[in-house]
């Protein structure tokens, strides 16, 4: 009886003393950028919906345009079912260009995307450039006179957006374009507001506050149509540059977790994507619907990587 009592008490203590592990979202850049936004919004809504028992912890792991975070998850947390990582077109761009020191997309499991973040070109509020045409003409006249800041490393998605835009506008000398690659959109905005860069390329969600405050002016949104809530920002297509650059926002998880845990993450992300909270977040931050999950998303990522490799070869970034 005494032994049973001790065992029962020990079991009770263990059961009540061990708190549920908190889910953690890794944002592979500094606070304030697009990946940080993804982590904080998805984490908040997961908590609001009661999908997780605790607040989701957000950890900012900077470096190598997302490569440091990717390497940490692959090497140190491969079987951790509590961690998920914010990802976007910037992630697959870096993987496609072999910028993560040999890392490949199949070293993690891709859960899904729940929104599309239109690319945008902005300038400081006092900039001499009043339209996208003005900016492009300045680059054509003297590439050294215009530096673009972006929240991804050289060769990353923000860089590619500028190169593709200029290529569509008839300026094909990719190596002559001045680009300042930074760790996240917040740093790129700071460079532009401070006058260290003449323009910034990023995603609408990470620049929304700065546009609304008047610190920057948006010259163009890189979408097929104007975005709800930002109807006064013209598309690049309206200004004669035929480019669409939509940065999907989603997550990946470690490859070594069980299928059951993977399916759980897919289900949770679907619930977030279908929630009223997320619909409101998209409107407030200029996101467009873009929902792909599970196996469909893994196939999409593989195709996305192949497509980016082709683009990179066309503009001379890959051999």
């Amino acid at each position: 009886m005494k032994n049973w009592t001790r065992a029962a008490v020990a079991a009770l203590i263990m059961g009540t003393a061990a708190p549920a592990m908190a889910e953690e979202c890794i944002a592979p850049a500094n606070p304030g950028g697009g990946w940080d936004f993804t982590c904080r919004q998805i984490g908040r809504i997961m908590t609001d919906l009661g999908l997780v028992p605790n607040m989701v912890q957000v950890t900012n792991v900077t470096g190598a345009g997302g490569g440091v975070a990717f390497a940490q998850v692959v090497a140190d947390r491969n079987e951790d079912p509590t961690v998920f990582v914010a990802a976007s077109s910037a992630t697959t761009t870096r993987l496609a260009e072999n910028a993560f020191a040999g890392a490949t997309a199949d070293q993690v499991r891709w859960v899904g995307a729940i929104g599309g973040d239109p690319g945008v070109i902005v300038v400081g509020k006092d900039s001499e450039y009043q339209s996208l045409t003005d900016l492009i003409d300045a680059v054509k006249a003297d590439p050294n006179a215009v530096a673009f800041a972006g929240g991804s490393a050289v060769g990353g998605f923000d860089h590619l957006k500028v190169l593709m835009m200029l290529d569509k506008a008839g300026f094909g000398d990719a190596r002559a374009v001045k680009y300042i690659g930074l760790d996240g959109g917040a740093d790129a905005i700071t460079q532009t507001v401070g006058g260290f860069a003449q323009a910034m390329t990023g995603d609408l969600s990470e620049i929304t506050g700065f546009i609304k405050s008047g610190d920057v002016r948006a010259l163009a949104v890189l979408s097929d149509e104007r975005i709800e809530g930002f109807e006064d920002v013209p598309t690049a297509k309206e200004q004669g540059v035929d480019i669409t650059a939509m940065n999907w926002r989603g997550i990946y998880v470690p490859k070594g977790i069980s299928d059951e845990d993977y399916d759980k993450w897919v289900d949770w992300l679907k619930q977030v994507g279908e929630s009223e909270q997320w619909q409101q977040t998209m409107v407030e931050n200029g996101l467009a619907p873009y929902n792909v999950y599970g196996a469909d998303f893994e196939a999409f990522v593989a195709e996305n990587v192949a497509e980016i490799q082709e683009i990179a070869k066309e503009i001379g970034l890959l051999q």
Side-chain angles (χ1 to χ4, degrees):
M1 182 69 176
K2 185 181 291 185
N3 289 339
W4 179 88
T5 303
R6 287 176 178 171
V9 170
L12 181 62
I13 291 172
M14 290 180 66
T16 57
M21 288 187 294
E23 280 72 17
E24 176 187 1
C25 184
I26 294 177
N30 289 323
W35 286 327
D36 186 70
F37 165 86
T38 300
C39 271
R40 295 186 190 280
Q41 295 300 327
I42 290 177
R44 174 183 63 83
I45 296 172
M46 281 182 174
T47 303
D48 289 349
L49 296 178
L51 300 175
V52 294
N54 304 299
M55 291 290 292
V56 173
Q57 174 186 336
V58 176
T59 303
N60 295 90
V61 179
T62 65
V68 172
F70 192 93
Q72 280 189 12
V73 170
V74 171
D76 302 328
R77 306 186 69 173
N78 184 52
E79 298 179 359
D80 189 343
T82 68
V83 68
F84 63 106
V85 187
S88 64
S89 298
T91 313
T92 45
T93 297
R94 302 294 285 157
L95 287 165
E97 295 173 354
N98 195 29
F100 289 174
T104 55
D106 60 3
Q107 289 179 301
V108 298
R109 300 192 74 172
W110 301 87
V111 176
I114 60 171
D117 209 344
V120 65
I121 304 294
V122 304
V123 294
K125 62 181 180 181
D126 299 321
S127 172
E128 62 186 286
Y129 307 117
Q130 298 299 315
S131 68
L132 185 63
T133 301
D134 288 346
L135 183 66
I136 291 171
D137 286 346
V139 174
K140 289 179 176 179
D142 181 6
N144 288 319
V146 180
F148 292 87
S152 66
V154 172
F157 190 59
D158 282 344
H159 190 191
L160 280 185
K161 279 185 284 192
V162 172
L163 297 181
M164 289 188 291
M165 176 188 74
L166 291 170
D167 187 60
K168 292 284 188 179
F171 184 82
D173 188 358
R175 299 184 188 281
V177 177
K178 291 181 68 176
Y179 175 80
I180 304 168
L182 299 153
D183 258 330
D187 292 348
I189 293 167
T190 300
Q191 292 285 315
T192 307
V193 171
F196 300 104
Q198 285 66 51
M200 183 216 169
T201 171
D203 304 312
L204 193 52
S205 70
E206 62 189 357
I207 307 175
T208 294
F210 293 89
I211 295 174
K212 291 181 176 178
S213 69
D215 289 308
V216 297
R217 285 187 291 107
L219 298 184
V221 62
L222 307 182
S223 53
D224 290 330
E225 299 176 354
R226 296 195 184 197
I227 302 300
E228 182 179 355
F230 296 85
E231 288 85 358
D232 58 338
V233 180
T235 66
K237 289 187 174 184
E238 290 176 56
Q239 301 175 73
V241 183
D242 188 15
I243 180 174
T244 299
M246 188 76 76
N247 187 3
W248 56 261
R249 296 221 166 270
I251 65 173
Y252 65 82
V253 292
K255 184 170 185 175
I257 66 173
S258 68
D259 288 342
E260 182 180 1
D261 283 322
Y262 174 74
D263 291 341
K264 174 198 70 178
W265 281 114
V266 172
D267 177 60
W268 284 358
L269 191 64
K270 279 183 181 178
Q271 291 190 54
V272 170
E274 294 169 359
S275 69
E276 291 182 8
Q277 294 96 319
W278 180 250
Q279 306 310 310
Q280 184 62 31
T281 296
M282 287 200 298
V283 171
E284 290 174 352
N285 293 279
L287 294 177
Y290 200 96
N291 295 33
V292 192
Y293 303 104
D296 289 341
F297 186 58
E298 296 209 294
F300 164 81
V301 166
E303 293 169 4
N304 191 217
V305 167
E307 179 184 22
I308 292 167
Q309 286 175 335
E310 283 302 310
I311 294 171
K313 288 175 183 176
E314 287 176 13
I315 60 179
L317 290 175
L318 280 179
Q319 296 302 315

